[in-house]
Amino acid sequence: MSAEQRKKMVILMINMFIAIGSFGIIIPILPAYLESIHQGGTAAGLMIAIFAGSQFIFSPIAGKWADQYGRRKMIIYGLTGLTLSMFVFYAFDSIWWLYASRVIGGIGAALLIPAIFAYIADITTLEQRAKGNSLVSAAMSLGIVIGPGIGGFLADYGLKTPFLISAIVSLVAVIFSVVVLKESAAKLAFGDTGAARDNESMARKIVRSVKMPFFIPLVITLVMSFGLMSYESVLGLFVDKQYGATPQEIALMVTTTGIVSVIVQLFIVDRLVRRYGEGTVLNIFLGVAATGFLLSLLASSYSLFFGITLLIFLATSILRPVLNTLISKLAGDEQGFAMGMNNAYMSIGNVLGPTLAGTLYDIRITYPFMLGLVLLVLTLVTTRVWQRRFLKQNAVN
């Protein structure tokens, strides 16, 4: 990458790091906080599902706006939404206000994430795309590393202290973006594309996505997200109840898995993709993630479950940027639309997975992991079938 490309990538990475880190702060104390307001697995699942539902509804619109009005505005508006969400989360104890904060946060994420990945597509070549996506994904993982570690420490000063710090850190991201972030060089090129489809509803966008060459990767994203979020949404509650894990131990688990994700995304993903290709990498690490889910059902101690969680997070840290890269490569000149739909399909899985997982957790705490295992196996089968058909079609053409 050129010096100018690296400068823009660093700015995007800092934005993503601060945004994700501010949310990561609350992860270790969420089980104890929900218990303090007499809530359990269902509430934990609904918080994630409501966030993802708002993200799903607004993602296609956000993708259009990113194409029409520019990436910079959407990134700033998205960070502002996440900041407001954190302040609401801090200010109220009512479960309904907490749900409302998740709606605001979901809208913010819908504006932010497609715009960032579209920005990356603007400033990178096809050959650089995997590396660019991996760098931003690494920044996300680093936010997950630092955030929970800080949250576990701040929990000693009161359960709500991490919420306040989270809101303040997120506000810093907004100010940083306003001052430092410039529009991508492709700004003049994407205005007409978005304007041509101003009146297209979300339902019509979903229908149109079926005809796109990246449709099956979108479906893979949906199914994989469903299975993975079934796991992640109840992870803190599970280790708290099953092994008596403290907020500090939960923070240690999330921080360590985040460190693994950062290392993998910075130094391994790009090399794997260049050597083996997106298809092979998808197959291998979907299998690794499914194996991790199976082993999690057999874990007899916190330490063993910790190790299995490391394996699962290693796989997901590779799968997410690889899928983003694959969709981006197939999207052509509709990067905003493609990234918006990618976010929308991921959000569908993120809505259904935590909602069902939270309900299943309250029935039996191992059911969410069983559900995730089944869904990841289905994802692997779907991926293999699509790859064979795609290769055969290309050979004919």
Side-chain angles (χ1 to χ4, degrees):
M1 291 186 180
S2 67
E4 184 64 23
Q5 284 176 309
R6 287 195 294 270
K7 178 182 177 182
K8 291 178 178 179
M9 284 300 307
V10 168
I11 293 171
L12 292 177
M13 291 171 68
I14 292 173
N15 276 321
M16 188 65 83
F17 165 74
I18 296 178
I20 300 301
S22 68
F23 180 76
I25 287 174
I26 73 172
I27 291 175
I29 49 86
L30 191 57
Y33 177 68
L34 288 176
E35 185 178 350
S36 74
I37 59 173
H38 311 293
Q39 301 294 328
T42 299
L46 281 175
M47 280 191 183
I48 296 175
I50 290 170
F51 182 96
S54 302
Q55 196 173 355
F56 164 66
I57 291 171
F58 278 86
S59 285
I61 303 170
K64 177 192 70 177
W65 286 348
D67 282 339
Q68 184 177 356
Y69 301 116
R71 323 308 193 195
R72 178 180 180 272
K73 286 183 180 179
M74 295 304 106
I75 290 172
I76 292 172
Y77 294 159
L79 289 170
T80 301
L82 290 172
T83 301
L84 178 59
S85 170
M86 288 296 99
F87 274 112
V88 173
F89 210 95
Y90 168 73
F92 300 95
D93 287 327
S94 165
I95 190 63
W96 297 108
W97 274 108
L98 299 183
Y99 289 156
S101 79
R102 297 294 80 207
V103 172
I104 299 169
I107 295 172
L111 295 172
L112 175 70
I113 295 174
I116 283 184
F117 283 107
Y119 198 117
I120 293 171
D122 292 341
I123 65 173
T124 58
T125 64
L126 285 175
E127 292 73 22
Q128 296 169 334
R129 196 70 46 80
K131 185 174 183 63
N133 286 333
S134 294
L135 288 172
V136 171
S137 296
M140 295 173 68
S141 298
L142 187 61
I144 294 174
V145 169
I146 301 298
I150 296 173
F153 170 77
L154 292 173
D156 291 338
Y157 298 91
L159 281 179
K160 300 207 73 174
T161 302
F163 299 149
L164 177 60
I165 301 302
S166 173
I168 294 172
V169 170
S170 187
L171 181 60
V172 170
V174 176
I175 297 171
F176 175 81
S177 296
V178 170
V179 173
V180 177
L181 187 64
K182 307 298 181 184
E183 187 55 83
S184 65
K187 181 175 181 180
L188 296 177
F190 49 63
D192 293 340
T193 302
R197 297 189 174 102
D198 270 345
N199 298 321
E200 192 172 34
S201 67
M202 181 189 65
R204 291 184 65 182
K205 286 179 180 293
I206 295 287
V207 171
R208 181 157 69 90
S209 71
V210 175
K211 303 175 184 178
M212 295 294 179
F214 48 83
F215 171 64
I216 295 301
L218 289 176
V219 174
I220 295 169
T221 298
L222 187 159
V223 179
M224 185 188 74
S225 297
F226 189 113
L228 294 177
M229 290 307 298
S230 298
Y231 182 90
E232 293 180 13
S233 63
V234 297
L235 178 61
L237 294 173
F238 180 82
V239 295
D240 177 38
K241 184 172 183 178
Q242 187 79 345
Y243 308 115
T246 65
Q248 288 74 22
E249 287 174 326
I250 296 172
L252 176 64
M253 175 180 288
V254 178
T255 299
T256 305
T257 54
I259 291 172
V260 170
S261 297
V262 170
I263 293 172
V264 166
Q265 289 165 346
L266 283 177
F267 303 110
I268 297 178
V269 173
D270 185 50
R271 295 179 182 179
L272 284 175
V273 170
R274 282 192 281 114
R275 182 167 183 176
Y276 300 108
E278 287 89 353
T280 300
V281 174
L282 275 178
N283 294 337
I284 291 173
F285 287 97
L286 281 171
V288 171
T291 301
F293 269 71
L294 177 61
L295 293 175
S296 70
L297 296 171
L298 308 175
S300 57
S301 67
Y302 169 81
S303 298
L304 184 56
F305 189 85
F306 194 154
I308 294 167
T309 301
L310 279 175
L311 182 68
I312 294 173
F313 273 71
L314 181 147
T316 59
S317 67
I318 293 174
L319 289 170
R320 283 168 175 159
V322 167
L323 273 171
N324 287 338
T325 301
L326 182 60
I327 292 169
S328 179
K329 285 184 175 181
L330 294 172
D333 60 356
E334 293 203 79
Q335 293 295 327
F337 174 76
M339 291 301 102
M341 295 313 301
N342 180 40
N343 209 21
Y345 276 72
M346 180 177 65
S347 296
I348 295 173
N350 289 351
V351 169
L352 299 178
T355 302
L356 188 53
T359 302
L360 291 175
Y361 177 88
D362 286 339
I363 297 173
R364 186 170 181 175
I365 62 176
T366 57
Y367 281 175
F369 307 116
M370 295 180 184
L371 176 66
L373 173 61
V374 171
L375 267 295
L376 281 172
V377 170
L378 288 176
T379 304
L380 179 58
V381 171
T382 302
T383 303
R384 293 292 295 153
V385 171
W386 173 72
Q387 287 173 350
R388 289 172 183 167
R389 292 180 179 177
F390 187 77
L391 290 174
K392 186 181 295 185
Q393 183 181 12
N394 284 351
V396 172
N397 295 336

